[in-house]
């Protein structure tokens, strides 16, 4: 006889996919950083510590990896803090998407559908975090406390977006 799929299995499946996303973001950021260093140094000089530190100081690399680390930490915490960090990361994605739309605008229908796609996915995941009982049980969240936790998550998401903007502007001033 087959075992029935439980809410715990669904929750772990969703969180496994999110963990793969975090690892993928880190791999992508490392390859981007390697490309950045490759444009300045040859193979032997690229791996020297001062050159790596210079590259970290003057590139906008690892911003996504730092933000995805918040998600990664939240995936392993089975309490309210984990839930807040995961939901805050989704709000960070939405805030970043809105900022990008205001900065770059929507030029054609492809941009519109991409913006809609990248807005609806985090919004759907926030909805899932709030309505799916398996995730609430995993993090031991009571329904009465979700509003307060959502407001805290929105604040964390906005703070992450502000961190990204400040980091980018400080780097531009240094160059």
């Amino acid at each position: 006889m087959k075992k029935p799929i439980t809410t715990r299995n669904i929750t772990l499946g969703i969180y496994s996919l999110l963990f793969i996303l975090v690892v993928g973001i880190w791999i992508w950021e490392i390859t981007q950083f390697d490309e950045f260093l490759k444009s300045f140094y040859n193979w032997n000089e690229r791996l020297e510590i001062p050159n790596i530190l210079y590259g970290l100081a003057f590139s906008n690399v690892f911003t996504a990896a730092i933000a995805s680390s918040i998600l990664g930490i939240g995936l392993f915490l089975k309490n309210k803090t984990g839930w807040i960090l995961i939901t805050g990361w989704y709000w960070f994605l939405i805030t970043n998407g809105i900022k990008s739309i205001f900065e770059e605008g929507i030029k054609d229908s492809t941009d519109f559908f991409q913006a809609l796609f990248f807005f609806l996915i985090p919004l759907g995941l926030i909805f899932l975090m709030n309505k799916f009982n398996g995730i609430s049980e995993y993090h031991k969240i009571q329904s009465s406390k979700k509003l307060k936790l959502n407001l805290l998550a929105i604040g964390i998401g906005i703070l992450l977006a502000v961190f990204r903007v400040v980091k980018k502007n400080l780097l531009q001033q240094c160059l």
Side-chain angles (χ1 to χ4, degrees):
M1 245 183 154
K2 288 185 175 181
K3 291 183 181 180
I5 297 175
T6 63
T7 56
R8 179 171 169 76
N9 293 345
I10 294 171
T11 302
L12 292 176
I14 292 169
Y15 282 9
S16 298
L17 292 174
L18 289 173
F19 180 74
I20 291 169
L21 175 70
V22 170
V23 171
I25 289 171
W26 269 96
I27 290 170
W28 180 74
E29 290 276 313
I30 288 170
T31 57
Q32 291 293 327
F33 186 64
D34 187 50
E35 290 296 320
F36 174 78
L37 289 177
K38 191 187 298 183
S39 64
F40 290 105
Y41 306 109
N42 65 28
W43 178 256
N44 295 330
E45 293 175 335
R46 189 169 33 177
L47 299 176
E48 293 176 3
I49 298 293
N51 296 339
I52 291 173
L53 293 176
Y54 176 80
L56 287 173
F58 289 105
S59 69
N60 199 19
V61 179
F62 291 114
T63 303
I66 291 169
S68 71
S69 296
I70 301 294
L71 174 64
I73 292 167
L75 291 174
F76 290 106
L77 297 176
K78 292 184 176 182
N79 54 22
K80 294 175 188 174
T81 306
W83 192 87
I84 290 169
L85 291 175
I86 294 168
T87 311
W89 189 74
Y90 297 142
W91 283 110
F92 165 71
L93 292 178
I94 290 172
T95 308
N96 257 354
I98 291 170
K99 183 186 87 49
S100 296
I101 289 171
F102 280 124
E103 283 180 355
E104 299 168 18
I106 296 177
K107 299 172 185 72
D108 57 9
S109 61
T110 305
D111 287 346
F112 173 75
F113 285 114
Q114 283 178 344
L116 188 64
F117 180 72
F118 287 115
F119 182 73
L120 289 179
I121 286 180
L123 207 56
L125 290 169
I126 290 170
F127 181 77
L128 184 69
M129 291 284 292
N130 283 296
K131 294 296 179 187
F132 184 60
N133 289 333
I135 294 175
S136 297
E137 291 171 8
Y138 182 81
H139 290 287
K140 301 171 188 84
I141 305 289
Q142 299 170 355
S143 295
S144 61
K145 300 198 177 195
K146 283 188 180 177
L147 178 63
K148 187 170 41 171
L149 295 175
N150 273 317
L151 292 173
L152 193 56
I154 290 170
I156 287 174
I158 291 172
L159 283 174
L160 282 171
V162 167
F163 165 74
R164 181 176 179 260
V165 169
V166 167
K167 181 180 182 253
K168 183 178 178 181
N169 288 339
L170 286 175
L171 283 174
Q172 288 176 353
Q173 287 178 0
C174 289
L175 297 176

